[in-house]
């Protein structure tokens, strides 16, 4: 099946720093990717839809200036958590779909801890 | 109201038991439906797609009722390895926006 990778798999940073997370579709091109956040013992919450070559679409309540999304190519989307704070500590997961695929595939996730 | 709602958990069952999970969705225009399994601190993995005609994969059976906007998953002969969180997933039209239910935690005990 299709493969989606994320990098880094985990990151620890100080409060106030910015963290970039990459999501790559390894064997297919994805015009659309999705970014999710999951807090402990909760489900995945859709943060935004990343569109190749255009602006991302953010879900209600998600600050676009806080979570910068760039989808510069058909195989790469990046999520930058700007000026991270401890409350941003979470599990961030991306997903992508093959153009004619039957289901979304998920990256392995990035665990962010902000001290 | 949440777009996708699932049975609250956790379900604690003995090995060999049959367990059923239910899920409802609010958007009648939703196109695709899935059950995903998520193990602790891992990404979701597709368990099975759900079709109106119903589908079965070994011990797992999924059903979709479009009229009632209801999805179900039945697990027969539960194994210890079935312990996980089961996520009901609905995909909406136009862009394949994927919405997850809150998940139902299953514990299968010896």
């Amino acid at each position: 099946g299709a493969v989606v990778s994320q990098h880094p798999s985990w990151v620890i940073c100080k409060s106030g720093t910015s963290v970039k997370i990459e999501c790559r579709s390894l064997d297919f091109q994805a015009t659309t990717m999705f970014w999710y956040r999951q807090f402990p013992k909760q489900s995945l919450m859709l943060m935004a839809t990343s569109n190749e070559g255009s602006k991302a679409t953010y879900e209600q309540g998600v600050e676009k200036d806080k979570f910068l999304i760039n989808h510069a190519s058909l195989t790469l989307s990046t999520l930058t958590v700007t000026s991270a704070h401890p409350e941003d500590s979470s599990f961030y997961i991306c997903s992508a779909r093959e153009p004619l695929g039957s289901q979304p595939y998920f990256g392995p996730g990035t665990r962010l801890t902000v001290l | 109201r949440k777009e996708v709602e699932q049975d609250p958990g956790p379900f604690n069952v003995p090995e060999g038991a049959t367990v059923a999970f239910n899920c409802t969705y609010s958007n009648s225009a939703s196109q695709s439906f899935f059950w995903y399994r998520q193990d602790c601190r891992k990404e979701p993995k597709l368990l099975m797609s759900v079709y109106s005609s119903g589908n079965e994969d070994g011990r797992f059976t999924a059903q979709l009722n479009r009229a009632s906007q209801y999805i179900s998953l039945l697990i027969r002969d539960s194994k210890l390895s079935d312990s996980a969180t089961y996520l009901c997933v609905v995909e909406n039209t136009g862009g394949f926006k994927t919405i997850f239910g809150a998940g139902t935690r299953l514990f299968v005990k010896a």
Side-chain angles (χ1 to χ4, degrees), chain B residues 9-106:
Chain B
F11 282 54
N12 293 286
V13 303
E15 269 189 297
T18 296
V19 61
F21 300 140
N22 302 313
C23 171
T24 57
Y25 60 96
S26 61
N27 187 343
S28 59
S30 297
Q31 287 281 69
S32 304
F33 309 90
F34 311 93
W35 283 102
Y36 276 74
R37 169 192 170 131
Q38 186 177 27
D39 293 290
C40 190
R41 303 172 80 87
K42 301 276 187 169
E43 77 277 22
K45 297 281 192 185
L46 179 67
L47 181 63
M48 58 199 308
S49 301
V50 189
Y51 306 111
S52 297
S53 55
N55 49 307
E56 185 174 315
D57 182 4
R59 298 181 294 108
F60 300 85
T61 301
Q63 292 278 353
L64 165 65
N65 184 320
R66 283 189 183 271
S68 303
Q69 297 178 201
Y70 172 91
I71 305 159
S72 66
L73 175 68
L74 184 75
I75 304 176
R76 291 181 297 277
D77 188 24
S78 300
K79 311 291 184 190
L80 293 175
S81 57
D82 293 333
S83 298
T85 297
Y86 290 83
L87 301 165
C88 175
V89 180
V90 173
E91 215 170 38
N92 295 331
T93 56
F96 297 109
K97 186 171 164 180
T98 307
I99 306 297
F100 286 82
T104 303
R105 191 76 173 93
L106 172 65

